[in-house]
Amino acid sequence: MPAEFDVHSDSLPSGTFVVRVSGDLDLATAPRLEEACAAREARSRLVIDLEACTFMDSSGIRVLTTQASTLAGEGGRLELVVIDPGIARVLEITGLTPLATLHSSLDAVS
C-alpha cells in the first residue's frame, strides 16, 4: 500500500520558501506539488524537501524539471533535500542533478 501523500509549505527564517513532500509523488499527487510550488510567488529560492518522499515517477520529475527551469529563467535555482538513494539515483539518471542543488538535510540548506 502506498504511503499517504502530503505536501505543505512554509518559509525558513531566511525567507527561503520550502515545500515538504511525504509519501508517493506520482501522477495522482504531482498536481498538489505544483500548486504548493506556485505559492512561492516571486521568491527566487525554492527548496523542495523530499526527505519523506517514498517514491517518485515521471510526473514528479516533470514538476521538478519545470520548477528548475522556471527558477533558472528568473535567476534562481531549485534546491532539493534528498536522503533516499533510489530517489537520488532517479534524479541523476533523468539529468535533473545539474539543474538543482542537492542537500542531505534541510539543516544543510544555508
Side-chain angles (χ1 to χ4, degrees), residues 60-105:
I61 296 296
R62 180 191 52 79
V63 173
L64 298 180
T65 302
T66 300
Q67 292 301 315
S69 178
T70 299
L71 285 159
E74 297 171 356
R77 185 160 175 87
L78 177 63
E79 299 183 52
L80 303 171
V81 176
V82 181
I83 62 168
D84 183 305
I87 291 176
R89 181 74 176 132
V90 167
L91 298 174
E92 181 183 329
I93 290 169
T94 58
L96 190 59
T97 51
L99 305 175
T101 303
L102 300 184
H103 301 281
S104 59
S105 73

Side-chain angles (χ1 to χ4, degrees), residues 12-104:
L12 297 177
S14 64
T16 299
F17 193 70
V18 178
V19 176
R20 292 180 171 88
V21 174
S22 61
D24 291 355
L25 180 55
D26 57 22
L27 180 63
T29 58
R32 290 182 53 200
L33 176 57
E34 286 178 305
E35 289 172 14
C37 290
R40 75 174 176 84
E41 299 169 348
R43 292 183 246 193
S44 63
R45 189 164 185 211
L46 171 62
V47 175
I48 299 178
D49 183 352
L50 299 169
E51 205 168 330
C53 184
T54 53
F55 171 81
M56 183 183 309
D57 73 2
S58 61
S59 301
I61 296 296
R62 180 191 52 79
V63 173
L64 298 180
T65 302
T66 300
Q67 292 301 315
S69 178
T70 299
L71 285 159
E74 297 171 356
R77 185 160 175 87
L78 177 63
E79 299 183 52
L80 303 171
V81 176
V82 181
I83 62 168
D84 183 305
I87 291 176
R89 181 74 176 132
V90 167
L91 298 174
E92 181 183 329
I93 290 169
T94 58
L96 190 59
T97 51
L99 305 175
T101 303
L102 300 184
H103 301 281
S104 59

